[in-house]
Amino acid sequence: MIKVGESAPDFTLAAHNGGSLSLKSLRGAKVLLWFFVEANTPGCTLEGRGFRDHQSYFDENNIRVVGVSFDSIEDNAAFARRHEFGFPLLSDADHVVAIAYGACAGPEARYPDRVSFLINERGAIERVYDQVDPRDHPARVLADILGV
């Protein structure tokens, strides 16, 4: 798994809204790269809603939330619509990004691990969240950032 202080691997993936998103395009803002197991599962839904419900706090602190899963673009789009997510969900169907970040065991993995990476404005890993509880993960990230 990638470690704090290392450069975040750049990527470009298809987003649920029909476009694509590259990490490089988000330079100048912090990025919370949120790997989620599968769209519309109970834990991922709870976690995603937490990010949605705290969206204004992330925005106020110049943090872009970006979800990544192995789901299809269509499944991610349905997930985002159903729960009114205002952040992009990216499809890493070939597992390349998850492997680069160490967020899955390898190309045969069925799901990515439940892990998030806070990437600073210059593209370096600032924090790794590898012990994620979907019930409080978004609030925990904010508490860390705000120093509460």
Side-chain angles (χ1 to χ4, degrees), residues 34-45:
W34 165 51
F35 285 92
F36 64 96
V37 177
E38 188 175 22
N40 286 308
T41 56
C44 296
T45 298

Side-chain angles (χ1 to χ4, degrees), residues 48-87:
R49 285 179 178 174
F51 286 120
R52 176 199 66 198
D53 294 348
H54 291 89
Q55 184 76 52
S56 63
Y57 296 105
F58 285 102
D59 291 345
E60 288 169 14
N61 288 282
N62 198 30
I63 301 165
R64 305 294 168 249
V65 175
V66 177
V68 180
S69 74
F70 298 162
D71 295 305
S72 69
I73 297 165
E74 296 79 16
D75 287 346
N76 278 342
F79 186 39
R81 270 193 314 273
R82 181 176 183 189
H83 299 288
E84 300 177 347
F85 295 154
F87 46 84

